[in-house]
Amino acid sequence: MSDTTLSTLTARRVWDSRGNPTVEVEATLADGSRGRAMAPAGASRGTREAIDLRDGGSRLGGMDVQNAVSNVNRLIAQELTGLDASQQADIDSRLIALDATPYKSSLGGNAMVATSMAVLHATAASMGKPLWRHIADLSGQTPTLPLPEIQIFGGGAHAGRRVDVQDFMVMVPGAASFDEVLEVTSEIYRSAGARMKKKSGNVGVADEGGWWPVFDSNEEALETLVRAIEDTGEKPGERVVISLDIAASEFGSKGRYRLALEDRELDRDEMISLLGRWIDDYPIASIEDPLAEDDPEGVIAFTREYGDRVQIIGDDYLVTNADLVHQAADQGACNAVLIKVNQSGTISESLACLAAAREHGYRGIVSARSGETEDVTICHLAVGLDAGQLKVGSITRSERMAKWNECLRINDQLGGDAYVGGKPLQNTWWARQQKENTQ
Ligand code: PGA
Ligand code: ZN
């Protein structure tokens, strides 16, 4: 008999892909079901996202999480044990009330997100369902396998700021299956690596597994990416398109943008023109955080100008916050939102953000962080919520591959035609071009 009463919650310190401590939580239910989850950690963080509780001091660079672990083992366990774990909204609202700060700085976003996800896992286990199925049932969505966004070159805060732009990625909206996306992307990754080796002799990778960027300008990275796509026999813009995360808050503020690599500073209009020229000259179908989070004027102007051609994603700009999505929709800023569970701090708030996005016709992209673990909860969220897109970094390093490989397993469980293909890009130039080509 299933009994979803939460009987124990325990946390331990584990380690993430950057070798930093993070929080893992295990939840046990009265019927013996168990769930486990780990908190990821960002490096290029929005100022309005949930704050990870770190111990500070000189040990481990101040990054230890003993206080967050102890918050789970004492305060959170005391508050939540005995409750019905299947009532995710109730569990999450109690976490929020117990924390009682705007950015989860008291309990810690890391303590809260690991707890919220562990409880979700335990309930799915109790019901004997795969997590994606449980999430689909909770949200009333039809599960689908998302279109991946995969990093080829890292940059920004994930690569010692060796280039200003943070992610140079590809999407393969023209592939027939999830598996084919990975195969095409792996070939592109190889070609890009061969080009980097030829150029600089030795090659390395950035935090999310993309090649270390040795370029003289941001645009050289774009050009190299186009060449790498061509090397594989693909015509850029047909099956394969480019996606960028500018992460502009990392180098821009108050309408001024400092491109360190190119030793120049742009004002808002110049930054918009630069990105516009890239959109004209390269097969870019998606751009994340094109302007800084403190530059709504810029984001609105950019969306007005290019929102009918490319997907414009708010990450630092919207921080997985439903209220900010409503506000952005009122103002005409962005047309898509990145969903990072640890930005919001709980499963329920992430679900609310995606619901807000849907209300306004905004697309949703479930995303990992640059600091990750083998935790694959987000794959199940992307599938169960029918989010449409998934971004987890590159196609190397096991904290990334754990996610892509989990999607392949889910693909087999789902069977048939659950893969969304190029549909999430339907309002972009890519889809219009596809249509013309088939007419
Ligand atoms: P972060 O970067 O996890 O370091 O914040 C990921 C992103 O900006 O999308
Ligand atoms: Zn981002």
Side-chain angles (χ1 to χ4, degrees):
M1 263 289 277
S2 145
D3 179 350
T4 51
T5 307
L6 187 60
S7 51
T8 65
L9 262 184
T10 42
R12 66 172 64 86
R13 179 179 71 176
V14 293
W15 302 83
D16 75 11
S17 57
R18 281 193 276 246
N20 288 327
T22 190
V23 181
E24 174 172 270
V25 174
E26 274 188 43
T28 317
L29 308 188
D31 61 10
S33 308
R34 287 166 177 276
R36 193 179 72 196
M38 281 177 266
S44 69
R45 305 163 53 83
T47 52
R48 293 170 291 189
E49 64 176 87
I51 291 168
D52 288 341
L53 189 60
R54 302 280 178 184
D55 297 346
S58 55
R59 281 183 52 261
L60 296 170
M63 300 291 279
D64 208 354
V65 292
Q66 303 289 3
N67 289 318
V69 165
S70 139
N71 282 348
V72 177
N73 288 332
R74 295 170 201 214
L75 298 174
I76 297 179
Q78 196 175 22
E79 175 76 10
L80 299 185
T81 46
L83 297 175
D84 183 353
S86 71
Q87 302 303 304
Q88 186 76 37
D90 178 48
I91 296 284
D92 290 339
S93 61
R94 283 172 191 262
L95 278 171
I96 294 163
L98 183 64
D99 171 77
T101 67
Y103 300 118
K104 280 117 178 155
S105 53
S106 148
L107 291 176
N110 43 1
M112 289 173 68
V113 78
T115 301
S116 183
M117 297 195 302
V119 166
L120 185 72
H121 276 277
T123 310
S126 171
M127 293 175 176
K129 294 178 190 172
L131 187 60
W132 58 265
R133 167 65 66 198
H134 176 52
I135 293 167
D137 291 348
L138 268 182
S139 65
Q141 301 293 334
T142 304
T144 58
L145 215 65
L147 171 67
E149 246 188 297
I150 307 182
Q151 189 190 68
I152 305 298
F153 299 117
H158 304 157
R161 302 184 195 278
R162 188 58 191 71
V163 288
D164 304 289
V165 172
Q166 185 177 284
D167 288 291
F168 296 87
M169 297 170 285
V170 293
M171 299 175 89
V172 193
S177 67
F178 194 93
D179 188 51
E180 192 175 302
V181 170
L182 297 186
E183 186 172 324
V184 170
T185 307
S186 179
E187 294 284 15
I188 295 168
Y189 186 84
R190 272 160 216 276
S191 307
R195 282 186 173 269
M196 295 312 280
K197 189 142 201 240
K198 204 162 149 202
K199 180 175 183 219
S200 47
N202 43 19
V203 282
V205 297
D207 279 8
E208 297 190 1
W211 296 113
W212 185 264
V214 184
F215 299 111
D216 297 328
S217 67
N218 291 285
E219 194 163 348
E220 191 194 344
L222 263 174
E223 275 163 18
T224 309
L225 183 50
V226 167
R227 298 286 99 77
I229 296 168
E230 286 169 349
D231 290 344
T232 68
E234 298 285 337
K235 188 157 176 277
E238 287 192 353
R239 270 209 311 181
V240 184
V241 297
I242 291 176
S243 167
L244 299 177
D245 182 0
I246 308 295
S249 306
E250 290 290 310
F251 59 86
S253 173
K254 302 194 170 72
R256 310 277 318 165
Y257 295 87
R258 165 118 202 99
L259 297 176
L261 177 61
E262 298 164 23
D263 194 22
R264 57 184 178 139
E265 187 169 301
L266 307 182
D267 66 19
R268 170 185 301 133
D269 292 341
E270 289 166 334
M271 183 69 194
I272 293 175
S273 315
L274 175 69
L275 297 176
R277 190 174 60 69
W278 288 356
I279 292 173
D280 287 339
D281 293 351
Y282 300 93
I284 297 164
S286 179
I287 295 199
E288 183 175 324
D289 286 340
L291 286 301
E293 60 172 62
D294 69 355
D295 189 5
E297 221 178 305
V299 178
I300 292 163
F302 184 78
T303 307
R304 199 183 307 124
E305 188 83 15
Y306 297 105
D308 62 342
R309 285 169 65 184
V310 297
Q311 169 167 267
I312 301 171
I313 308 171
D315 169 17
D316 294 339
Y317 192 72
L318 297 172
V319 292
T320 316
N321 181 312
D323 291 339
L324 293 179
V325 170
H326 288 306
Q327 199 185 85
D330 284 347
Q331 298 173 334
C334 308
N335 57 31
V337 54
L338 210 69
I339 307 286
K340 289 169 163 170
V341 188
N342 83 325
Q343 254 177 353
S344 75
T346 62
I347 287 287
S348 300
E349 287 162 286
S350 301
L351 262 55
C353 181
L354 189 61
R358 284 217 161 91
E359 198 181 312
H360 299 292
Y362 278 36
R363 285 150 267 175
I365 300 91
V366 172
S367 170
R369 301 306 304 247
S370 53
E372 269 295 333
T373 68
E374 63 272 32
D375 191 291
V376 293
T377 310
I378 58 168
C379 304
H380 292 261
L381 275 175
V383 170
L385 296 174
D386 180 26
Q389 295 173 74
L390 180 63
K391 176 189 180 201
V392 308
S394 196
I395 186 155
T396 63
R397 297 180 49 142
S398 286
E399 79 278 7
R400 316 286 149 192
M401 300 322 296
K403 274 79 164 171
W404 300 132
N405 290 337
E406 182 73 355
C407 285
L408 291 171
R409 290 180 204 106
I410 299 174
N411 186 42
D412 287 348
Q413 291 166 15
L414 272 168
D417 47 4
Y419 173 56
V420 298
K423 259 179 256 147
L425 295 183
Q426 67 195 354
N427 299 323
T428 66
W429 61 264
W430 179 81
R432 285 193 285 277
Q433 176 184 292
Q434 291 297 109
K435 226 172 165 178
E436 278 168 29
N437 290 348
T438 52
Q439 271 165 7

